[in-house]
Amino acid sequence: MSTVLQPRLFDAQSAQRLTASGLPPPLARALAARGVRSAAELDLLMRELIVPGQLTQVQAAAQLLADAIAARQRLLIVADYDCDGATACAVGLRGLRRMGAQVDYLVPNRFEYGYGLTPEIVDLAATRAGGRPDLLITVDNGIASVEGVARANALGMRVLITDHHLPGASLPQAAVIVNPNQPGCGFPSKHLAGVGVMFYVLTALRAELRRRGVFDEHDQPRLDNLLDLVALGTVADVVRLDRNNRILVAAGLERMRQGRIQPGLAALFQVAGRDARMAQAADLGFAIGPRINAAGRLTDMTVGIECLSTDDFDRAQALAHQLDALNRERRAIESDMQFDALAELDGRALAEARTITLFNEGWHQGVVGLVAARVKERHHRPTVAFARNDDGTLRGSGRSIEGVHLRDVLDLVTKSAPGIVTRFGGHAMAAGLTLRAEGLDSFARSFEQAARASCEPHLFQRTVATDGPLAPAEIGLSLVEAIERQVWGQGFPPPLFDNEFAVVEQRLIKDAHLKLTLELGGQRFGAIWFRRTERLPTRVRLAYRPMIDEYQGQRRVSLYVEHRG
């Protein structure tokens, strides 16, 4: 599929102000294109974080928790099985225990119990050896758990929901719901991750306990030492990094660089071969997060939560090595599944299709989302991949493209073909669903029809936004170092430049990646295009990111190619 490289528009006056503040002009233009108007907006200070009081029901949550702590009630966190859920659980455990709570956790096995606070999970919680909990606290889930909350209420357990996902048609009858995306919540940042919501709840709880005289400002528990976990969960969940989220991530990264880091996170950096003293958001998204997610994909998230919540570094190291081993296993499974998927798609005519639906009898339920993501990236089509459940139903995970709201499209499917989808949930870019065993073909047809009916055709042409060309003299260490000082991520992507190069040399390395020597304006640059095996013509327009390569103490700029125009 051809790719259109489209330079971003930017406000020239903002770019001039940013350049005058000392930023390299290419970075100034890129920041202006992302809505930054002045250098002051790049000072990501914790004092500028949106205050908790703007989050609907956060004060009610603080009072509920403070009453439970005072009454020595048993609290149980019901976690989710991804990195956001694991970090939210670890933050909740650490923060609540510091404030005197009796709190434990339970995390569902995705293969046995499915997603969220299900009635089965509630029954499991009620029969725990330590006694039935008085209060269940969901983290990164719960907003769609209508039946589970009803079951908890029937058993005499109250429920506090902390979540960030989009709600369904009706809300659960929980004691309190804290979710920036629930109806009527005026919180300005709708993109908080689950761990961010839990952090806000703890901040409000600490203020409530101060008001009650349990602590004062001098002896209150510190919450800033949880920000490394908040940063990890926020980046790994690929939520939009608006300014509020960038403040949280910047604070967490700074703690990592200073060595003030949780033992489990330090151990994960170690097994990933990354230096926490040089931590970037990309390390969290591409090295640390996948290792934690591997536990939830292949077994359950217990080992991930234990790794992030232990204070024993030796134990943290052992757990980090377990997560690393699971991640290697996950990569092997994913590689086989991707081969299957691409082989099947080779026989399909995809040019006119708007969607892709995949199923293989031998696929692993925990990895179908990664396969969907890879296929979506390759073919620029909303993709849902399915595996078979033990009960014979099909469990799917979907990934979408910019402009196609996957949850809304699936909602249309349920209306146009009722009964096929037995359960679904998610957001714009990702969703999960369950089908009746015989419903795959009907789903594929309805998915295609819903996308055609609700989405403009131009959305299915791959268009990549770039930050325009660089002059040869601008491609240097000073530019890359200035870029690395900023916090980048979903919704605030790092600069991507494009130029027309002469291809001087190209060769395959490891039979998988294209190693290049490119010429621009008489200067030559080393470049690499990962997972690209097709040769390039002698002149070509490429979209790339300048990065720093370090070898034997020497630092030089290399170009990481991502797209061809």
Side-chain angles (χ1 to χ4, degrees):
M1 174 182 290
S2 62
T3 299
V4 176
L5 302 181
Q6 182 172 304
R8 290 183 174 91
L9 301 176
F10 63 91
D11 179 69
Q13 291 184 337
S14 296
Q16 290 171 2
R17 285 193 294 271
L18 291 164
T19 301
S21 74
L23 293 173
L27 177 56
R29 294 192 298 268
L31 289 167
R34 288 152 181 77
V36 177
R37 294 166 295 180
S38 69
E41 295 180 31
L42 301 176
D43 294 330
L44 302 175
L45 305 175
M46 281 296 290
R47 66 171 178 265
E48 296 183 15
L49 204 65
I50 300 169
V51 296
Q54 295 193 52
L55 197 55
T56 295
Q57 293 197 42
V58 76
Q59 184 56 38
Q63 291 170 352
L64 178 67
L65 290 168
D67 289 344
I69 292 170
R72 304 298 298 162
Q73 292 182 349
R74 288 185 294 271
L75 279 56
L76 185 69
I77 295 175
V78 180
D80 192 21
Y81 40 65
D82 66 1
C83 186
D84 187 19
T87 52
C89 184
V91 164
L93 290 171
R94 289 181 174 278
L96 289 168
R97 285 169 180 167
R98 289 172 192 172
M99 289 186 247
Q102 296 183 49
V103 59
D104 202 352
Y105 76 93
L106 174 65
V107 59
N109 182 305
R110 75 197 301 161
F111 311 115
E112 295 179 34
Y113 295 103
Y115 173 79
L117 186 70
T118 61
E120 294 81 8
I121 282 293
V122 171
D123 289 340
L124 187 62
T127 57
R128 287 172 65 83
R132 189 178 66 188
D134 301 291
L135 177 63
L136 301 178
I137 304 166
T138 76
V139 291
D140 192 33
N141 68 74
I143 196 64
S145 301
V146 175
E147 295 176 354
V149 171
R151 179 64 176 163
N153 291 338
L155 294 176
M157 293 180 286
R158 291 178 298 172
V159 180
L160 163 60
I161 290 174
T162 73
D163 199 356
H164 69 123
H165 293 96
L166 297 172
S170 58
L171 295 177
Q173 295 300 305
V176 178
I177 298 175
V178 184
N179 181 338
N181 290 301
Q182 68 177 305
C185 183
F187 193 74
S189 170
K190 300 297 183 184
H191 306 291
L192 273 182
V195 68
V197 177
M198 188 68 236
F199 182 77
Y200 265 85
V201 169
L202 291 174
T203 303
L205 171 60
R206 187 177 64 176
E208 175 65 18
L209 292 174
R210 281 201 311 268
R211 189 185 68 79
R212 297 186 183 196
V214 177
F215 307 118
D216 60 32
E217 291 188 359
H218 302 290
D219 65 358
Q220 67 181 1
R222 296 192 61 169
L223 297 178
D224 59 338
N225 51 19
L226 301 174
L227 286 166
D228 54 351
L229 297 176
V230 176
L232 170 58
T234 299
V235 172
D237 210 46
V238 204
V239 294
R240 184 175 294 275
L241 289 194
D242 58 16
R243 188 161 189 267
N244 202 64
N245 277 337
R246 294 206 313 280
I247 289 172
L248 291 170
V249 171
L253 288 171
E254 185 59 27
R255 292 191 67 85
M256 296 175 205
R257 294 166 188 159
Q258 293 173 354
R260 298 184 293 167
I261 185 172
Q262 310 293 341
L265 192 45
L268 283 164
F269 266 93
Q270 201 172 83
V271 300
R274 304 292 178 105
D275 187 351
R277 296 169 301 177
M278 305 290 290
Q280 299 285 335
D283 295 315
L284 307 182
F286 297 108
I288 311 302
R291 283 170 167 78
I292 296 172
N293 278 327
R297 293 188 185 282
L298 300 189
T299 57
D300 68 48
M301 189 48 81
T302 301
V303 64
I305 294 169
E306 289 294 316
C307 183
L308 297 177
S309 56
T310 184
D311 289 321
D312 182 333
F313 187 73
D314 289 339
R315 183 164 186 262
Q317 278 193 313
L319 292 165
H321 280 287
Q322 287 184 45
L323 291 169
D324 189 53
L326 285 169
N327 193 50
R328 289 196 299 272
E329 181 184 353
R330 184 273 304 168
R331 284 202 299 259
I333 293 170
E334 181 189 353
S335 178
D336 289 343
M337 289 170 61
Q338 283 183 40
F339 181 84
D340 293 339
L342 296 177
E344 179 181 341
L345 290 172
D346 279 346
R348 291 197 199 176
L350 296 176
E352 299 303 319
R354 293 290 180 263
T355 62
I356 296 173
T357 300
L358 295 165
F359 166 71
N360 186 296
E361 196 68 56
W363 280 356
H364 193 292
Q365 296 175 28
V367 187
V368 286
L370 298 177
V371 172
R374 292 291 191 197
V375 171
K376 180 265 297 187
E377 290 167 7
R378 185 181 182 95
H379 293 285
H380 194 66
R381 295 288 185 268
T383 300
V384 180
F386 289 93
R388 191 174 297 282
N389 279 327
D390 291 340
D391 63 4
T393 60
L394 304 184
R395 180 174 297 173
S397 186
R399 300 293 185 271
S400 196
I401 59 177
E402 197 67 36
V404 179
H405 196 297
L406 186 55
R407 187 190 179 281
D408 287 355
V409 172
L410 292 177
D411 190 47
L412 282 178
V413 171
T414 65
K415 291 179 172 62
S416 63
I420 295 174
V421 179
T422 60
R423 186 174 183 177
F424 78 100
H427 47 80
M429 302 302 287
L433 66 158
T434 302
L435 299 186
R436 295 200 323 267
E438 69 278 11
L440 183 66
D441 290 341
S442 295
F443 171 81
R445 288 192 298 271
S446 298
F447 187 32
E448 177 74 15
Q449 291 165 2
R452 288 182 176 276
S454 61
C455 304
E456 294 294 328
H458 71 86
L459 295 172
F460 301 92
Q461 166 65 54
R462 191 194 303 273
T463 301
V464 173
T466 77
D467 294 289
L470 290 176
E474 292 177 318
I475 304 176
L477 291 173
S478 60
L479 173 62
V480 182
E481 289 167 349
I483 290 171
E484 288 183 348
R485 284 192 285 271
Q486 306 302 321
V487 175
W488 308 99
Q490 179 71 16
F492 199 81
L496 179 71
F497 303 103
D498 73 274
N499 284 84
E500 184 174 325
F501 294 96
V503 180
V504 178
E505 183 181 359
Q506 54 184 315
R507 60 187 174 88
L508 276 181
I509 56 175
K510 298 182 179 179
D511 294 322
H513 314 299
L514 196 59
K515 183 73 173 174
L516 302 162
T517 300
L518 303 174
E519 186 172 277
L520 178 67
Q523 294 190 33
R524 291 189 174 184
F525 301 92
I528 190 164
W529 193 343
F530 288 111
R531 295 187 296 276
R532 166 85 183 198
T533 56
E534 297 87 355
R535 289 180 61 84
L536 297 175
T538 55
R539 293 200 66 83
V540 64
R541 178 164 291 277
L542 299 173
Y544 62 93
R545 303 188 196 279
M547 310 284 279
I548 294 177
D549 274 345
E550 194 161 342
Y551 181 68
Q552 294 183 339
Q554 298 294 314
R555 304 173 82 237
R556 62 180 183 180
V557 173
S558 182
L559 309 184
Y560 283 49
V561 179
E562 295 194 2
H563 301 281
R564 174 187 170 183

